[in-house]
């Protein structure tokens, strides 16, 4: 069985599966953190929420990309990926803290696309910083 998982196609499919599950779990965690229902808002055509969610998905995937490149075991890759995801959650709270003039969640719910775009860019930009620091 050991040789089976050493096949690069099987290994790739395994990593792919792990990252897909990690993205789903991260979206569930973000759903708990935000004060709006992400998928209800997206279903209504809320572009701001779609941008913010897209940034989160890209950010998590990008962090796992770096984690896969830098780690040679699935356990260490998963550990660094989870740690990077936790740091990405802090981006959400930092954005809220740095904008005392308005509530990010309320603006996203109202389809404020400027806030959605900034949220997207913060998630993506900081995912590169988090990813670059993964060893």
């Amino acid at each position: 069985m050991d040789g089976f998982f050493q096949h690069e196609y099987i290994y790739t499919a395994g990593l792919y599966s792990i990252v897909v599950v990690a993205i789903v779990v991260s979206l569930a965690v973000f759903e708990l953190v935000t004060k709006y229902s992400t998928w209800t808002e997206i279903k209504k055509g809320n572009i701001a929420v779609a941008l913010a969610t897209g940034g989160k998905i890209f950010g998590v995937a990008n962090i796992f990309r770096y984690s896969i490149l830098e780690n040679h075991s699935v356990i260490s890759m998963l550990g660094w990926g989870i740690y990077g995801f936790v740091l990405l959650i802090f981006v959400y709270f930092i954005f809220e803290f740095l904008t005392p003039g308005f509530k990010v969640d309320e603006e996203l719910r109202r389809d404020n696309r400027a806030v959605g775009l900034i949220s997207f860019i913060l998630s993506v930009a900081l995912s590169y910083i988090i990813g670059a620091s993964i060893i």
Side-chain angles (χ1 to χ4, degrees), residues 39-65:
W39 302 109
T40 301
E41 292 298 321
I42 290 173
K43 186 176 179 181
K44 291 191 297 189
N46 187 324
I47 301 295
V49 170
L51 282 167
T53 304
K56 293 168 188 169
I57 292 168
F58 184 96
V60 170
N62 191 42
I63 288 168
F64 272 95
R65 170 195 177 271

mmCIF file of all heavy atoms in Angstrom, residues 39-65:
data_model
loop_
_atom_site.group_PDB
_atom_site.id
_atom_site.type_symbol
_atom_site.label_atom_id
_atom_site.label_comp_id
_atom_site.label_asym_id
_atom_site.label_seq_id
_atom_site.Cartn_x
_atom_site.Cartn_y
_atom_site.Cartn_z
ATOM 1 N N TRP A 39 -24.040 32.494 1.589
ATOM 2 C CA TRP A 39 -24.658 31.897 0.401
ATOM 3 C C TRP A 39 -26.025 32.494 0.105
ATOM 4 O O TRP A 39 -26.422 32.576 -1.057
ATOM 5 C CB TRP A 39 -24.684 30.381 0.529
ATOM 6 C CG TRP A 39 -23.277 29.901 0.722
ATOM 7 C CD1 TRP A 39 -22.734 29.384 1.860
ATOM 8 C CD2 TRP A 39 -22.209 29.994 -0.225
ATOM 9 N NE1 TRP A 39 -21.388 29.134 1.669
ATOM 10 C CE2 TRP A 39 -21.037 29.499 0.398
ATOM 11 C CE3 TRP A 39 -22.112 30.450 -1.540
ATOM 12 C CZ2 TRP A 39 -19.808 29.435 -0.242
ATOM 13 C CZ3 TRP A 39 -20.877 30.385 -2.180
ATOM 14 C CH2 TRP A 39 -19.755 29.892 -1.538
ATOM 15 N N THR A 40 -26.727 32.970 1.137
ATOM 16 C CA THR A 40 -27.992 33.673 0.891
ATOM 17 C C THR A 40 -27.723 34.983 0.163
ATOM 18 O O THR A 40 -28.422 35.333 -0.798
ATOM 19 C CB THR A 40 -28.730 33.947 2.227
ATOM 20 O OG1 THR A 40 -28.975 32.706 2.875
ATOM 21 C CG2 THR A 40 -30.031 34.690 1.995
ATOM 22 N N GLU A 41 -26.697 35.706 0.600
ATOM 23 C CA GLU A 41 -26.344 36.976 -0.035
ATOM 24 C C GLU A 41 -25.865 36.767 -1.474
ATOM 25 O O GLU A 41 -26.218 37.522 -2.375
ATOM 26 C CB GLU A 41 -25.286 37.718 0.783
ATOM 27 C CG GLU A 41 -25.775 38.226 2.118
ATOM 28 C CD GLU A 41 -26.894 39.250 1.990
ATOM 29 O OE1 GLU A 41 -26.852 40.090 1.083
ATOM 30 O OE2 GLU A 41 -27.825 39.203 2.818
ATOM 31 N N ILE A 42 -25.069 35.747 -1.688
ATOM 32 C CA ILE A 42 -24.589 35.470 -3.044
ATOM 33 C C ILE A 42 -25.761 35.071 -3.937
ATOM 34 O O ILE A 42 -25.838 35.506 -5.094
ATOM 35 C CB ILE A 42 -23.477 34.400 -3.015
ATOM 36 C CG1 ILE A 42 -22.209 34.995 -2.392
ATOM 37 C CG2 ILE A 42 -23.194 33.862 -4.418
ATOM 38 C CD1 ILE A 42 -21.098 34.006 -2.156
ATOM 39 N N LYS A 43 -26.677 34.279 -3.400
ATOM 40 C CA LYS A 43 -27.854 33.876 -4.178
ATOM 41 C C LYS A 43 -28.683 35.093 -4.590
ATOM 42 O O LYS A 43 -29.268 35.117 -5.672
ATOM 43 C CB LYS A 43 -28.708 32.912 -3.357
ATOM 44 C CG LYS A 43 -29.871 32.325 -4.120
ATOM 45 C CD LYS A 43 -30.620 31.314 -3.282
ATOM 46 C CE LYS A 43 -31.797 30.753 -4.063
ATOM 47 N NZ LYS A 43 -32.558 29.794 -3.258
ATOM 48 N N LYS A 44 -28.688 36.135 -3.753
ATOM 49 C CA LYS A 44 -29.416 37.366 -4.067
ATOM 50 C C LYS A 44 -28.659 38.245 -5.068
ATOM 51 O O LYS A 44 -29.166 39.259 -5.500
ATOM 52 C CB LYS A 44 -29.685 38.177 -2.798
ATOM 53 C CG LYS A 44 -30.685 37.522 -1.863
ATOM 54 C CD LYS A 44 -31.158 38.438 -0.742
ATOM 55 C CE LYS A 44 -30.085 38.876 0.191
ATOM 56 N NZ LYS A 44 -30.567 39.578 1.395
ATOM 57 N N GLY A 45 -27.445 37.853 -5.403
ATOM 58 C CA GLY A 45 -26.655 38.619 -6.356
ATOM 59 C C GLY A 45 -25.763 39.667 -5.716
ATOM 60 O O GLY A 45 -25.322 40.609 -6.386
ATOM 61 N N ASN A 46 -25.453 39.512 -4.440
ATOM 62 C CA ASN A 46 -24.623 40.474 -3.723
ATOM 63 C C ASN A 46 -23.166 40.328 -4.163
ATOM 64 O O ASN A 46 -22.458 39.415 -3.749
ATOM 65 C CB ASN A 46 -24.781 40.255 -2.217
ATOM 66 C CG ASN A 46 -24.099 41.314 -1.390
ATOM 67 O OD1 ASN A 46 -23.040 41.800 -1.745
ATOM 68 N ND2 ASN A 46 -24.709 41.647 -0.268
ATOM 69 N N ILE A 47 -22.724 41.242 -4.995
ATOM 70 C CA ILE A 47 -21.363 41.203 -5.554
ATOM 71 C C ILE A 47 -20.317 41.433 -4.470
ATOM 72 O O ILE A 47 -19.248 40.814 -4.484
ATOM 73 C CB ILE A 47 -21.203 42.243 -6.686
ATOM 74 C CG1 ILE A 47 -22.208 41.996 -7.804
ATOM 75 C CG2 ILE A 47 -19.779 42.271 -7.214
ATOM 76 C CD1 ILE A 47 -22.024 40.693 -8.533
ATOM 77 N N ALA A 48 -20.591 42.311 -3.525
ATOM 78 C CA ALA A 48 -19.624 42.602 -2.466
ATOM 79 C C ALA A 48 -19.306 41.351 -1.647
ATOM 80 O O ALA A 48 -18.139 41.056 -1.378
ATOM 81 C CB ALA A 48 -20.152 43.717 -1.564
ATOM 82 N N VAL A 49 -20.338 40.616 -1.272
ATOM 83 C CA VAL A 49 -20.128 39.378 -0.515
ATOM 84 C C VAL A 49 -19.420 38.342 -1.380
ATOM 85 O O VAL A 49 -18.543 37.614 -0.909
ATOM 86 C CB VAL A 49 -21.466 38.838 0.051
ATOM 87 C CG1 VAL A 49 -21.292 37.432 0.621
ATOM 88 C CG2 VAL A 49 -22.012 39.780 1.109
ATOM 89 N N ALA A 50 -19.767 38.288 -2.660
ATOM 90 C CA ALA A 50 -19.097 37.349 -3.573
ATOM 91 C C ALA A 50 -17.609 37.679 -3.685
ATOM 92 O O ALA A 50 -16.770 36.772 -3.685
ATOM 93 C CB ALA A 50 -19.762 37.373 -4.943
ATOM 94 N N LEU A 51 -17.275 38.967 -3.768
ATOM 95 C CA LEU A 51 -15.863 39.365 -3.823
ATOM 96 C C LEU A 51 -15.141 38.971 -2.537
ATOM 97 O O LEU A 51 -14.041 38.408 -2.589
ATOM 98 C CB LEU A 51 -15.741 40.874 -4.041
ATOM 99 C CG LEU A 51 -15.952 41.390 -5.446
ATOM 100 C CD1 LEU A 51 -16.126 42.899 -5.450
ATOM 101 C CD2 LEU A 51 -14.781 40.985 -6.329
ATOM 102 N N ALA A 52 -15.736 39.275 -1.393
ATOM 103 C CA ALA A 52 -15.109 38.944 -0.116
ATOM 104 C C ALA A 52 -14.919 37.433 0.020
ATOM 105 O O ALA A 52 -13.860 36.963 0.443
ATOM 106 C CB ALA A 52 -15.951 39.483 1.042
ATOM 107 N N THR A 53 -15.932 36.667 -0.381
ATOM 108 C CA THR A 53 -15.850 35.203 -0.301
ATOM 109 C C THR A 53 -14.819 34.662 -1.281
ATOM 110 O O THR A 53 -14.041 33.763 -0.949
ATOM 111 C CB THR A 53 -17.234 34.581 -0.563
ATOM 112 O OG1 THR A 53 -18.167 35.132 0.371
ATOM 113 C CG2 THR A 53 -17.198 33.068 -0.417
ATOM 114 N N GLY A 54 -14.792 35.203 -2.473
ATOM 115 C CA GLY A 54 -13.793 34.795 -3.459
ATOM 116 C C GLY A 54 -12.379 35.051 -2.965
ATOM 117 O O GLY A 54 -11.475 34.230 -3.167
ATOM 118 N N GLY A 55 -12.177 36.172 -2.302
ATOM 119 C CA GLY A 55 -10.861 36.471 -1.734
ATOM 120 C C GLY A 55 -10.462 35.482 -0.667
ATOM 121 O O GLY A 55 -9.301 35.070 -0.569
ATOM 122 N N LYS A 56 -11.430 35.074 0.138
ATOM 123 C CA LYS A 56 -11.158 34.086 1.187
ATOM 124 C C LYS A 56 -10.799 32.740 0.570
ATOM 125 O O LYS A 56 -9.858 32.074 1.013
ATOM 126 C CB LYS A 56 -12.371 33.952 2.107
ATOM 127 C CG LYS A 56 -12.646 35.190 2.923
ATOM 128 C CD LYS A 56 -14.005 35.113 3.592
ATOM 129 C CE LYS A 56 -14.361 36.435 4.253
ATOM 130 N NZ LYS A 56 -15.760 36.483 4.695
ATOM 131 N N ILE A 57 -11.546 32.334 -0.445
ATOM 132 C CA ILE A 57 -11.258 31.057 -1.121
ATOM 133 C C ILE A 57 -9.869 31.103 -1.749
ATOM 134 O O ILE A 57 -9.062 30.189 -1.574
ATOM 135 C CB ILE A 57 -12.332 30.740 -2.178
ATOM 136 C CG1 ILE A 57 -13.673 30.439 -1.512
ATOM 137 C CG2 ILE A 57 -11.899 29.568 -3.064
ATOM 138 C CD1 ILE A 57 -14.854 30.386 -2.471
ATOM 139 N N PHE A 58 -9.577 32.173 -2.473
ATOM 140 C CA PHE A 58 -8.267 32.315 -3.099
ATOM 141 C C PHE A 58 -7.175 32.333 -2.030
ATOM 142 O O PHE A 58 -6.126 31.692 -2.185
ATOM 143 C CB PHE A 58 -8.199 33.596 -3.938
ATOM 144 C CG PHE A 58 -6.913 33.747 -4.688
ATOM 145 C CD1 PHE A 58 -6.818 33.344 -5.998
ATOM 146 C CD2 PHE A 58 -5.789 34.278 -4.068
ATOM 147 C CE1 PHE A 58 -5.621 33.475 -6.698
ATOM 148 C CE2 PHE A 58 -4.591 34.407 -4.751
ATOM 149 C CZ PHE A 58 -4.511 34.003 -6.067
ATOM 150 N N GLY A 59 -7.419 33.082 -0.956
ATOM 151 C CA GLY A 59 -6.417 33.192 0.101
ATOM 152 C C GLY A 59 -6.084 31.852 0.733
ATOM 153 O O GLY A 59 -4.909 31.509 0.913
ATOM 154 N N VAL A 60 -7.107 31.072 1.055
ATOM 155 C CA VAL A 60 -6.876 29.751 1.659
ATOM 156 C C VAL A 60 -6.132 28.847 0.673
ATOM 157 O O VAL A 60 -5.173 28.170 1.038
ATOM 158 C CB VAL A 60 -8.209 29.113 2.120
ATOM 159 C CG1 VAL A 60 -8.022 27.665 2.508
ATOM 160 C CG2 VAL A 60 -8.805 29.906 3.278
ATOM 161 N N ALA A 61 -6.576 28.836 -0.571
ATOM 162 C CA ALA A 61 -5.910 27.993 -1.576
ATOM 163 C C ALA A 61 -4.459 28.413 -1.766
ATOM 164 O O ALA A 61 -3.565 27.567 -1.893
ATOM 165 C CB ALA A 61 -6.670 28.058 -2.903
ATOM 166 N N ASN A 62 -4.209 29.707 -1.771
ATOM 167 C CA ASN A 62 -2.848 30.207 -1.953
ATOM 168 C C ASN A 62 -1.952 29.827 -0.778
ATOM 169 O O ASN A 62 -0.798 29.429 -0.968
ATOM 170 C CB ASN A 62 -2.871 31.730 -2.140
ATOM 171 C CG ASN A 62 -1.541 32.263 -2.598
ATOM 172 O OD1 ASN A 62 -0.877 31.682 -3.453
ATOM 173 N ND2 ASN A 62 -1.146 33.391 -2.040
ATOM 174 N N ILE A 63 -2.475 29.916 0.428
ATOM 175 C CA ILE A 63 -1.703 29.508 1.600
ATOM 176 C C ILE A 63 -1.356 28.020 1.511
ATOM 177 O O ILE A 63 -0.217 27.625 1.758
ATOM 178 C CB ILE A 63 -2.476 29.826 2.900
ATOM 179 C CG1 ILE A 63 -2.474 31.336 3.129
ATOM 180 C CG2 ILE A 63 -1.884 29.081 4.088
ATOM 181 C CD1 ILE A 63 -3.421 31.809 4.195
ATOM 182 N N PHE A 64 -2.328 27.197 1.123
ATOM 183 C CA PHE A 64 -2.047 25.770 0.979
ATOM 184 C C PHE A 64 -1.076 25.507 -0.163
ATOM 185 O O PHE A 64 -0.292 24.558 -0.105
ATOM 186 C CB PHE A 64 -3.339 24.966 0.827
ATOM 187 C CG PHE A 64 -3.915 24.550 2.144
ATOM 188 C CD1 PHE A 64 -4.896 25.309 2.756
ATOM 189 C CD2 PHE A 64 -3.460 23.416 2.785
ATOM 190 C CE1 PHE A 64 -5.413 24.939 3.985
ATOM 191 C CE2 PHE A 64 -3.964 23.030 4.014
ATOM 192 C CZ PHE A 64 -4.946 23.803 4.613
ATOM 193 N N ARG A 65 -1.099 26.327 -1.188
ATOM 194 C CA ARG A 65 -0.123 26.185 -2.283
ATOM 195 C C ARG A 65 1.290 26.290 -1.731
ATOM 196 O O ARG A 65 2.156 25.456 -1.999
ATOM 197 C CB ARG A 65 -0.368 27.263 -3.333
ATOM 198 C CG ARG A 65 0.718 27.356 -4.370
ATOM 199 C CD ARG A 65 0.579 28.683 -5.154
ATOM 200 N NE ARG A 65 1.649 28.827 -6.090
ATOM 201 C CZ ARG A 65 2.826 29.391 -5.819
ATOM 202 N NH1 ARG A 65 3.073 29.859 -4.623
ATOM 203 N NH2 ARG A 65 3.758 29.492 -6.741
#
